[in-house]
Amino acid sequence: MTDALELDALWEDFHRVVNMTSQELAAWLRVRDADENAEPLPEEAGSPTGRHVLAILQKRRIDLTDDDVRVMYRVVDTVTAQTDLENEPRAEDTRGRHRLMTIGHDPLKP
């Protein structure tokens, strides 16, 4: 696992880029996967990464696993790369916004 200072920085970065609450993310994952005929079970809604982000949001820092840390790095890198000034999804870029929301970042949220 990473050292304490690196983990502290990662924890802060992760919670900076994941700007949706666990409730908002859980609701989004359910809505995203629902279709006109069925809605998935809450624990099966969303992508594996989205579900993992949701699980991390519900943990204390001390309870993180090595797998959690890997996902946190991936999410921070993904959101950072996709939200730089030139690539920031705009309101009209629904697909880009929804893709980021599946990992807990809503680019239109203040």
Side-chain angles (χ1 to χ4, degrees):
M1 189 170 251
T2 44
D3 67 39
L5 287 176
E6 191 175 340
L7 186 58
D8 288 345
L10 176 60
W11 182 262
E12 293 299 321
D13 287 345
F14 178 80
H15 283 88
R16 177 181 46 80
V17 301
V18 176
N19 63 359
M20 296 171 71
T21 66
S22 59
Q23 295 85 3
E24 290 170 331
L25 179 55
W28 170 250
L29 294 175
R30 283 191 309 273
V31 167
R32 176 88 172 159
D33 278 3
D35 62 27
E36 61 188 50
N37 298 320
E39 184 175 321
L41 295 171
E43 63 274 2
E44 296 175 3
S47 68
T49 302
R51 289 191 308 267
H52 202 143
V53 169
L54 182 59
I56 293 168
L57 289 175
Q58 297 167 341
K59 288 186 176 188
R60 299 175 306 162
R61 183 178 354 195
I62 196 166
D63 297 327
L64 295 174
T65 65
D66 288 342
D67 197 34
D68 294 336
V69 170
R70 280 190 291 278
V71 168
M72 290 169 71
Y73 274 118
R74 190 168 59 233
V75 167
V76 169
D77 290 345
T78 299
V79 172
T80 301
Q82 293 186 22
T83 59
D84 65 20
L85 293 177
E86 294 149 15
N87 295 324
E88 179 76 34
R90 305 212 187 313
E92 62 274 3
D93 182 13
T94 304
R95 181 178 290 164
R97 178 179 180 227
H98 289 178
R99 189 173 43 250
L100 287 172
M101 287 174 68
T102 62
I103 58 172
H105 178 78
D106 184 349
L108 300 182
K109 189 173 181 180

